[in-house]
Amino acid sequence: MTGAPLRVAHRIAVVGDTLLDVDVSGTSERLSPDAPVPVVDVRTDDRRAGGAGLVATMLARDGHDVTLVTVLSDDGRGDEIRSLLPDVRVVAGPSGAPTPVKTRVRVVDHALVRIDEGCATPPVPDATAEMTSALDGVDAVVVADYGRGVAASPAVREAISAAAARGVPVVWDPHPKGADPVPGTTVATPNAAEARGVSGLTGEGVPFATDAAVALRERWGAGSVAVTLGDRGALVASASGSRFVPAPSTTVGDPCGAGDRLAAGVAVALADGADVVDAVAAGVADASAYLAAGGVAALFAEPAPVAVPGTDRDAVRLVHRVRADGGTVVATGGCFDLLHAGHARTLSAARALGDCLVVCLNSDESVRALKGPERPIMTQDDRVELLLALDCVDAVIVFDEQTPDEALRRFQPDVWAKGGDYDAADLPEAATLAEWGGRVVTVPFHPGRSTTRLAAALAQVG
């Protein structure tokens, strides 16, 4: 799909170490009689896949097709991690070590203590053939190295290098105890403390980040290095020089996961075709928005109801939110070249079938292939804008093919709606919808309204 003002869903492999993260939160109003320590009355006990598992969760929640390449223990906590990743394809080899668990205890908004279990550094694990082959055919790779050996595995490193050699963007989020990024990594994203520890350089702020990024790029053989500076932004060093990417002003609460959010955002932007500086800017913006929304706690909160007509025009995210809220996703499609009353009525009827309406719109190239070189009358950008101005349309996806089948497979609507001048059984999309159990529905057709007739009338006028 091209030309759409939306983020496209991508196939992304996340490679790295997976942990079990536990957040215990409560209140404390007294000290223990046994020792002068606070007593925490637990209110919530939230559990999630951490490390590379958190990156995979973020990308899956954004609507991407995510494969997590990792190792897991065969203990009960390893099974729990799998259960916490329902929307992620998990390709895991044996870890040979207990599942690492990190438990954070917080009182209201303040961290009290972190308890680590099974977090001693294990031996470098053996990679399975399934783990290495999982990197074939992906649009981007994110390496989330948490220093437990997955990124140090020779076979895994060879597979990542092979992906980079094929032109697949590789984003490497390093760890002080982890392995160096493989040569050819598109961009590595150490934070200032990590860059300081690996480079041996000292200093603060942008001057230090500039020197460290340049030094690490040469040391690692990476295309670029982006040293992240927390709420200030990031400094990117590449072959063309160094650029500072500022962060939007954000009130930072719990920073847990911000680096993961940044790396995930960079990978998606690179898969979209952005250059490295623009991709890092997108990652910085994603991390800032993540923190502004409340960080990891907001990520796992129950989704807010989708307002319809919605202001979120990202189709993939919209669909995910509607489904998470138990809603029905409706789609329709067409050229919509000169919107008229018949279109408006059909779209309104389609929207009434569910909780959101996504319009699959033929691109300019697709319209020309279907209707000849004189069409479309309006460009796809204008057609997108007009469709989104209708209250009944929640998002638009533009597709280049002559049929919307591949676009539909991206978000798998529950209902495909078309005007009643079509027979539902004869629609070519019916077979596509059947792949995931969707259904085709026709809505009332309003004769006498057509783009061709309207275009002819306009030509006579003018």
Side-chain angles (χ1 to χ4, degrees):
M1 291 176 285
T2 60
L6 313 167
R7 276 193 173 179
V8 176
H10 293 291
R11 297 179 299 275
I12 301 179
V14 179
V15 182
D17 311 296
T18 304
L19 324 171
L20 178 61
D21 281 345
V22 181
D23 278 349
V24 176
S25 182
T27 60
S28 180
E29 299 176 352
R30 67 190 192 279
L31 295 177
S32 168
D34 304 321
V37 294
V39 174
V40 178
D41 292 314
V42 175
R43 298 291 178 85
T44 60
D45 181 340
D46 298 319
R47 310 169 89 83
R48 63 179 180 275
L54 180 59
V55 181
T57 299
M58 291 172 171
L59 289 165
R61 288 191 172 224
D62 288 343
H64 299 287
D65 180 358
V66 183
T67 298
L68 173 61
V69 180
T70 189
V71 294
L72 291 175
S73 171
D74 58 3
D75 58 22
R77 285 167 166 171
D79 295 337
E80 183 176 3
I81 287 175
R82 289 181 183 274
S83 72
L84 292 167
L85 295 165
D87 300 320
V88 175
R89 177 190 174 215
V90 180
V91 179
S95 71
T99 299
V101 183
K102 295 186 177 183
T103 302
R104 299 189 307 163
V105 181
R106 298 175 65 85
V107 174
V108 192
D109 293 328
H110 302 285
L112 183 64
V113 66
R114 195 182 86 181
I115 304 167
D116 288 0
E117 304 172 68
C119 291
T121 303
V124 174
D126 294 326
T128 65
E130 187 183 11
M131 290 170 64
T132 56
S133 64
L135 272 61
D136 296 337
V138 299
D139 301 316
V141 176
V142 183
V143 181
D145 187 358
Y146 275 74
R148 296 186 59 80
V150 172
S153 167
V156 169
R157 295 176 68 81
E158 183 178 345
I160 296 170
S161 295
R166 294 193 301 270
V168 177
V170 175
V171 179
W172 196 296
D173 191 10
H175 189 276
K177 296 181 179 179
D180 285 352
V182 300
T185 291
T186 310
V187 57
T189 60
N191 62 33
E194 291 162 349
R196 191 175 291 111
V198 177
S199 70
L201 300 174
T202 59
E204 297 292 338
V206 173
F208 156 74
T210 303
D211 293 341
V214 170
L216 291 175
R217 178 175 175 270
E218 181 177 354
R219 169 175 169 167
W220 290 335
S224 300
V225 171
V227 176
T228 60
L229 299 168
D231 60 359
R232 295 187 63 185
L235 190 288
V236 185
S238 61
S240 60
S242 300
R243 289 274 301 276
F244 177 64
V245 177
S249 178
T250 302
T251 300
V252 179
D254 179 7
C256 177
D260 297 316
R261 179 75 267 185
L262 184 142
V266 173
V268 170
L270 290 172
D272 284 338
D275 63 27
V276 169
V277 173
D278 288 343
V280 172
V284 167
D286 280 354
S288 297
Y290 165 84
L291 291 171
V296 72
L299 180 68
F300 288 90
E302 287 297 319
V306 177
V308 177
T311 56
D312 181 356
R313 299 308 192 189
D314 181 323
V316 173
R317 293 180 181 178
L318 174 71
V319 166
H320 177 81
R321 291 177 187 174
V322 169
R323 286 222 170 92
D325 202 41
T328 298
V329 177
V330 182
T332 191
C335 299
F336 297 99
D337 190 12
L338 293 182
L339 279 173
H340 51 69
H343 288 144
R345 293 175 184 175
T346 298
L347 290 168
S348 180
R351 176 62 181 79
L353 297 173
D355 300 286
C356 74
L357 176 63
V358 179
V359 176
C360 297
L361 181 71
N362 293 77
S363 70
D364 290 349
E365 180 181 347
S366 176
V367 175
R368 280 191 291 270
L370 289 168
K371 297 182 179 292
E374 301 302 319
R375 302 284 291 270
I377 298 166
M378 295 193 302
T379 67
Q380 64 192 40
D381 289 341
D382 286 346
R383 290 182 285 131
V384 167
E385 186 173 345
L386 286 170
L387 284 166
L388 290 176
L390 299 175
D391 286 349
C392 56
V393 176
D394 299 292
V396 177
I397 284 181
V398 179
F399 64 94
D400 282 329
E401 301 80 14
Q402 293 192 26
T403 67
D405 296 275
E406 290 306 313
L408 291 170
R409 290 187 177 100
R410 293 278 186 173
F411 64 99
Q412 298 186 357
D414 304 297
V415 177
W416 175 249
K418 290 292 285 185
D421 52 332
Y422 294 92
D423 188 327
D426 295 335
L427 284 170
E429 296 84 8
T432 304
L433 268 287
E435 292 175 10
W436 54 86
R439 65 186 188 276
V440 176
V441 175
T442 57
V443 295
F445 171 64
H446 302 280
R449 281 91 174 173
S450 78
T451 299
T452 301
R453 183 174 298 181
L454 181 59
L458 290 172
Q460 292 179 355
V461 172

